[in-house]
Amino acid sequence: MTESLFKIQHTDVPLSYYTGLLGMPGMTDYADFYELCSPKKGEYVLVSSAFGAVGQLVGQLAKLMGCYVVGSAESKEKIDILKSKFGFDEAFNYKEEHDLDAALKRCFPEGIDICFDNVGGKMLDAVLLNMRFHSRIAVAGMISEYNLDQPEGIRNLLSLVYKRIRIEGFTVYDYYHLFPNFLDLVLPYIREGKIAYVEDTAEGLKNGPSALVGIFSGQNVGKQAVVVARE
Amino acid sequence: MTESLFKIQHTDVPLSYYTGLLGMPGMTDYADFYELCSPKKGEYVLVSSAFGAVGQLVGQLAKLMGCYVVGSAESKEKIDILKSKFGFDEAFNYKEEHDLDAALKRCFPEGIDICFDNVGGKMLDAVLLNMRFHSRIAVAGMISEYNLDQPEGIRNLLSLVYKRIRIEGFTVYDYYHLFPNFLDLVLPYIREGKIAYVEDTAEGLKNGPSALVGIFSGQNVGKQAVVVARE
């Protein structure tokens, strides 16, 4: 797909950013959030899997727009970083919540306007119970489902009718034509320190295999990059 | 809700039509189909529960637009009327299909662009496997779920991501401002015989209770109306 090949013009930011924040995951955030979710100032935004390479940016873009933003992640360390470094208003560790519906009601007493979902499964089912009228769910992935023999059933879709919710699936491949707009928006924010980014960098090809294995046990913090050589 | 009260101006069509084809169910079809589904000539359209008061019109509107239209219903009589009277290209009796996925693949070898769904449950799950890229599912109801203690789980939502599908819930109450446009479109079609309508009319209030009971055993053909008095 030639549209996804491009020459990097801006080398004043770390090159590795182009594998994450400024690459496919970042573009996914950007296009998904602005094109599908139609965010408005003051809206309530949930980012599930907020610490993933796709999830990191969207919460910060939503904050920059004046939204109230809550993220979920799977460790205390990541929750802390979401709030302290990325400026999320609230964050919760979904592994420690016995009742996801109750966790969402605690974080969103007014309900959710936009859910940027990368998880699916039980999280999506709880989300459906907490969406507001005319709210939007952008589905960029369903990581809770990929390794199951049979996907979990989603039982609360009737909320779609009662609350006129829109769910839309999304892949970045439809939006590469927006890549220049994306860089125009995000590069200045990075240079001004308004958007933070956390990635895990392994040095040298010999450390690649262990970095790969680490992804599947959740050892990485943010996008896992392997630096083959530094010029 | 005052917006839903209006004086009937056009009495050259049966008054009972305003309880179905020209009332809330018809408006639901119209707004749902044009506002949410963005139909284009030549697209493949499935109307689940095609014989219901909501489902009858949308297939005919889709045919008038040049779409290929398939409906599902629950009896041979209704299937026959869908094809002979309403002009659907194909129709199937979902009660006689052991494998809904196979039935949809038979009717839509190219896949589905628009699904107007009023059923949910197993039908929606099979539909998700047969949607095309960038297709749309408008959910006006989930009649298969209303009487279950626990809703059936929908397992195929991952198709949303792979195929960039949009699902949107819908109620007519958001669209009453379009009622004059709706009548402007549909009344001429009815007068010209381009849109057919089937309803079940019980005469006299004393026949109301048995008509009501009949709805729940599927005895009615189309909207069940009770004529209290004819002027």
Side-chain angles (χ1 to χ4, degrees):
Chain A
M1 177 172 324
T2 53
E3 298 80 12
S4 63
L5 293 176
F6 61 93
K7 182 157 188 247
I8 293 171
Q9 306 285 351
H10 310 277
T11 51
D12 58 329
V13 295
L15 268 180
S16 59
Y17 280 25
Y18 287 89
T19 68
L21 179 64
L22 293 175
M24 186 269 278
M27 256 305 287
T28 301
D29 282 349
Y30 167 79
D32 203 346
F33 188 58
Y34 290 109
E35 298 291 314
L36 265 69
C37 298
S38 311
K40 288 183 279 294
K41 186 178 175 181
E43 287 196 315
Y44 299 95
V45 177
L46 170 67
V47 185
S48 78
S49 189
F51 212 88
V54 172
Q56 275 190 41
L57 179 59
V58 75
Q60 297 184 78
L61 289 175
K63 281 305 301 174
L64 286 165
M65 275 206 65
C67 296
Y68 181 87
V69 181
V70 178
S72 76
E74 72 282 6
S75 77
K76 184 175 182 310
E77 178 192 11
K78 293 178 182 180
I79 295 304
D80 289 343
I81 297 176
L82 284 176
K83 289 196 278 191
S84 63
K85 191 174 177 74
F86 297 148
F88 280 50
D89 295 288
E90 195 50 78
F92 65 92
N93 181 342
Y94 69 85
K95 287 196 170 173
E96 290 187 345
E97 301 287 347
H98 297 297
D99 183 340
L100 287 172
D101 179 36
L104 292 173
K105 284 186 167 51
R106 186 181 73 231
C107 295
F108 293 101
E110 307 285 337
I112 303 167
D113 291 298
I114 293 173
C115 173
F116 188 96
D117 186 40
N118 207 4
V119 173
K122 291 184 179 64
M123 179 68 83
L124 180 56
D125 236 352
V127 160
L128 282 163
L129 296 175
N130 288 280
M131 298 302 287
R132 305 181 85 189
F133 282 80
H134 297 289
S135 55
R136 295 130 264 157
I137 303 174
V139 183
M142 294 195 173
I143 52 172
S144 72
E145 305 296 294
Y146 297 146
N147 290 326
L148 300 178
D149 289 336
Q150 170 144 20
E152 294 179 90
I154 301 293
R155 300 185 186 280
N156 298 324
L157 281 177
L158 201 50
S159 297
L160 297 187
V161 184
Y162 295 147
K163 298 188 184 168
R164 296 85 139 166
I165 302 169
R166 181 200 296 170
I167 305 187
E168 191 156 357
F170 179 86
T171 71
V172 72
Y173 304 112
D174 298 331
Y175 293 97
Y176 271 115
H177 61 286
L178 297 176
F179 195 71
N181 313 30
F182 166 63
L183 289 182
D184 286 348
L185 177 81
V186 174
L187 273 170
Y189 280 146
I190 295 174
R191 291 177 183 133
E192 294 162 23
K194 289 184 178 169
I195 284 182
Y197 183 53
V198 171
E199 60 182 348
D200 226 338
T201 307
E203 293 286 338
L205 200 53
K206 70 178 189 302
N207 291 315
S210 62
L212 180 66
V213 171
I215 291 173
F216 294 101
S217 55
Q219 283 175 21
N220 60 311
V221 177
K223 186 77 175 179
Q224 177 70 63
V226 177
V227 177
V228 178
R230 291 186 186 274
E231 279 189 294
Chain B
M1 175 171 329
T2 53
E3 298 80 11
S4 63
L5 293 177
F6 60 95
K7 183 158 188 245
I8 292 170
Q9 306 287 352
H10 310 276
T11 51
D12 58 328
V13 294
L15 268 180
S16 60
Y17 280 26
Y18 286 89
T19 68
L21 180 64
L22 294 175
M24 186 270 277
M27 255 306 285
T28 301
D29 282 347
Y30 167 78
D32 203 345
F33 189 57
Y34 290 109
E35 298 292 314
L36 265 68
C37 299
S38 311
K40 288 184 278 293
K41 185 177 176 181
E43 287 197 315
Y44 299 95
V45 176
L46 170 68
V47 185
S48 78
S49 190
F51 213 89
V54 172
Q56 275 190 41
L57 179 59
V58 75
Q60 297 184 78
L61 289 175
K63 281 305 299 174
L64 286 165
M65 276 205 64
C67 296
Y68 181 86
V69 181
V70 177
S72 76
E74 72 282 6
S75 75
K76 184 175 183 312
E77 178 193 10
K78 292 178 182 179
I79 295 304
D80 290 343
I81 296 176
L82 284 176
K83 289 196 278 191
S84 62
K85 191 175 178 75
F86 296 148
F88 280 49
D89 295 288
E90 195 49 79
F92 65 93
N93 181 342
Y94 70 85
K95 288 197 171 171
E96 290 187 345
E97 301 286 346
H98 298 296
D99 182 342
L100 287 173
D101 179 36
L104 292 173
K105 284 186 168 50
R106 185 181 72 231
C107 294
F108 293 101
E110 308 284 337
I112 303 167
D113 292 297
I114 293 172
C115 173
F116 188 96
D117 186 40
N118 207 3
V119 173
K122 289 184 180 66
M123 179 68 85
L124 179 56
D125 236 351
V127 161
L128 282 163
L129 296 176
N130 287 280
M131 297 303 287
R132 305 181 85 188
F133 282 80
H134 297 288
S135 54
R136 297 131 263 157
I137 303 173
V139 184
M142 294 195 172
I143 52 172
S144 71
E145 307 295 292
Y146 297 146
N147 289 327
L148 301 178
D149 288 337
Q150 169 143 18
E152 294 179 271
I154 300 293
R155 301 186 185 281
N156 298 325
L157 281 177
L158 201 50
S159 298
L160 297 187
V161 184
Y162 295 147
K163 298 189 185 167
R164 297 87 138 162
I165 303 169
R166 181 199 298 170
I167 306 187
E168 191 156 356
F170 178 88
T171 70
V172 72
Y173 305 112
D174 298 330
Y175 293 97
Y176 272 116
H177 60 286
L178 297 177
F179 194 72
N181 312 31
F182 165 64
L183 290 182
D184 286 348
L185 177 81
V186 174
L187 274 170
Y189 280 147
I190 295 174
R191 291 177 182 132
E192 294 162 23
K194 289 184 178 169
I195 285 181
Y197 183 54
V198 171
E199 60 182 348
D200 225 338
T201 306
E203 295 285 339
L205 199 54
K206 71 177 189 301
N207 291 314
S210 63
L212 179 66
V213 171
I215 291 174
F216 294 101
S217 55
Q219 284 177 19
N220 59 310
V221 176
K223 187 78 174 177
Q224 178 70 65
V226 177
V227 178
V228 178
R230 291 185 185 275
E231 279 189 294

